[in-house]
Amino acid sequence: MEFRIERGELADAVAWAARVLPTRSPVSVLGGLLLEAADGRLCISGLDYEASARIEVPAETARAGKVLVMGRRLLDVCRVLPEGAVECAVEGSRFTVTGSGAGFGLAVLPLDDYPALPPLPEVLGAVDGQEFADAVADVSVAAGRDDTLPTLTGIRLGLDGDRMTLAATDRYRFAVRRLAWKPAAADVSADVIVPSRRLSEIARSFGRTGTVSLALDRGSAGFELDGMRTTVRLLDGRLPRHDKLFMLSDPVTAVTGREALVEAVKRVSVVADGDSPLQLAFSADSVLLQAGYENDVASQRLPAELAGTHELAVAFNPSYLMDALSSFDTPVVRFQLMGPGQRAMVTGHADREEAAGTAEPSHQHLLMSVKPLM
């Protein structure tokens, strides 16, 4: 095996495939990356028990072949190589990497012990990479972090015709994002749970460009774009349905500027110890943010509009509130409030269809308010 490739292209391809490698594994070959060179192409693949990745890039192939080497060590080598062309070859029991006077030799792992890469499931359709990455980022902030409740660490991926729904919850908040996609058939339907960390990495890794093919079967999800292919094992179980939770009866509505509110939350939260609550006291034309206890307190007043009552005070976990606000990119955010200690819905500025009640908001974030400051 022998091939030639630019350092930058090799480093990017190795880094992309190495994302799925386990940090620690009792099976040493699972720390390896499989490199296959033939017909002017270099394929690099890696896997563990939960995910797999395969990327194909152009390379000058002098001698076809394949080799298995420790992935993170190869990635370290690629990062320190000088810019320019890199020559790679298998020489006996070593994989050599040389370029611009620098040279490295890496031990070769046994190919016979390396498991086969899982096949890509059936492709069900395609989605815009930019929109998909944005939607995953919007909901992933609400996914759970407690591995003892694995289902809650996932993102629900629902398909219903030409609509895709992403949702996540950790029981204290619930984020939902809807977007259009292009199904391969009109009757496509699915409802699965994908690990949030893995799905976030996948969405970011595609570079937010192009059209991503989505593949699903009973046990895994697959994604493919421009020579990059990755699979991830699905989580068991189902997330709670958000439909009834999101139905608020006669809520009080408050509207305020998003950027100014984000800055005010950051500013006032510096005196909040841990997750002590941050209070939002709404009146007809303003909202007063307050945090802290006894001697360490902070406050800031911002313009706001309140409809449905004269005044209302609610409080939130400041980090949860910041996550929710940061997931929107609209100039204005709207709160639908049921009262202290009850559900609160955050959405972006409504378009005409949403305002008229003829369409659901494409992005909704439900928070549980907490006991207000005394």
Side-chain angles (χ1 to χ4, degrees):
M1 177 189 191
E2 186 176 351
F3 63 89
R4 177 186 173 94
I5 189 173
E6 288 296 314
R7 188 213 69 88
E9 292 183 6
L10 179 62
D12 289 345
V14 169
W16 193 86
R19 294 177 305 104
V20 301
L21 297 181
T23 305
R24 294 178 181 175
S25 174
V27 184
S28 60
V29 293
L30 289 184
L33 286 178
L34 179 63
L35 282 67
E36 302 172 89
D39 303 323
R41 309 292 295 177
L42 172 66
C43 294
I44 304 176
S45 54
L47 77 162
D48 68 3
Y49 293 116
E50 294 182 355
S52 72
R54 177 182 173 90
I55 184 170
E56 185 175 301
V57 293
E60 298 177 21
T61 308
R63 180 160 43 96
K66 57 185 178 180
V67 65
L68 184 68
V69 296
M70 291 304 296
R72 299 193 189 281
R73 179 58 56 85
L74 178 59
L75 180 57
D76 289 341
V77 168
C78 290
R79 286 171 172 163
V80 299
L81 278 169
E83 291 296 334
V86 177
E87 304 278 353
C88 300
V90 175
E91 298 178 0
S93 61
R94 291 190 181 278
F95 177 67
T96 62
V97 183
T98 59
S100 302
F104 299 85
L106 304 180
V108 171
L109 300 175
L111 280 169
D112 292 342
D113 297 338
Y114 194 66
L117 208 67
L120 190 73
E122 179 187 1
V123 175
L124 300 185
V127 63
D128 181 83
Q130 173 83 54
E131 293 183 10
F132 184 65
D134 290 343
V136 171
D138 288 343
V139 302
S140 62
V141 295
R145 306 291 187 267
D146 185 355
D147 290 334
T148 64
L149 299 170
T151 300
L152 295 184
T153 65
I155 291 176
R156 176 187 171 232
L157 195 161
L159 304 176
D160 184 10
D162 62 356
R163 187 173 75 165
M164 176 185 294
T165 300
L166 300 173
T169 181
D170 61 2
R171 296 181 299 173
Y172 305 104
R173 46 192 173 162
F174 208 135
V176 173
R177 183 77 153 77
R178 303 174 184 87
L179 66 159
W181 80 304
K182 297 178 181 178
D187 60 348
V188 168
S189 178
D191 193 344
V192 299
I193 305 296
V194 187
S196 175
R197 182 178 66 84
R198 295 286 190 183
L199 189 58
S200 297
E201 288 177 350
I202 290 167
R204 288 195 303 266
S205 73
F206 282 138
R208 298 174 176 262
T209 58
T211 300
V212 177
S213 296
L214 169 61
L216 283 176
D217 60 22
R218 292 184 178 180
S220 63
F223 305 86
E224 188 173 26
L225 169 67
D226 295 339
M228 296 179 287
R229 173 184 294 186
T230 185
T231 64
V232 58
R233 181 182 294 180
L234 301 175
L235 295 174
D236 294 329
R238 290 193 174 188
L239 291 186
R241 299 293 297 188
H242 63 271
D243 310 67
K244 291 184 178 180
L245 281 173
F246 282 23
M247 293 176 61
L248 307 183
S249 178
D250 298 322
V252 172
T253 300
V255 177
T256 188
R258 188 189 68 86
E259 290 188 8
L261 182 58
V262 166
E263 291 303 314
V265 170
K266 290 179 182 178
R267 189 171 296 118
V268 174
S269 295
V270 298
V271 299
D273 293 329
D275 293 326
S276 61
L278 184 151
Q279 179 174 283
L280 280 68
F282 290 96
S283 59
D285 58 359
S286 67
V287 56
L288 177 64
L289 283 75
Q290 295 176 290
Y293 293 105
E294 298 178 349
N295 295 326
D296 296 333
V297 295
S299 65
Q300 183 171 353
R301 188 177 295 276
L302 299 173
E305 297 178 7
L306 182 68
T309 189
H310 296 295
E311 58 183 30
L312 180 65
V314 292
F316 299 102
N317 175 307
S319 61
Y320 287 2
L321 178 60
M322 180 60 72
D323 285 342
L325 296 174
S326 299
S327 69
F328 292 90
D329 59 5
T330 55
V332 171
V333 287
R334 178 177 56 183
F335 290 86
Q336 291 178 286
L337 306 168
M338 299 296 293
Q342 299 187 56
R343 290 167 293 160
M345 178 67 73
V346 184
T347 58
H349 181 64
D351 57 31
R352 271 184 282 180
E353 288 78 11
E354 292 169 14
T358 58
E360 293 178 304
S362 62
H363 182 192
Q364 296 172 281
H365 198 116
L366 189 75
L367 291 171
M368 285 301 300
S369 61
V370 296
K371 186 178 179 181
L373 301 172
M374 299 301 291

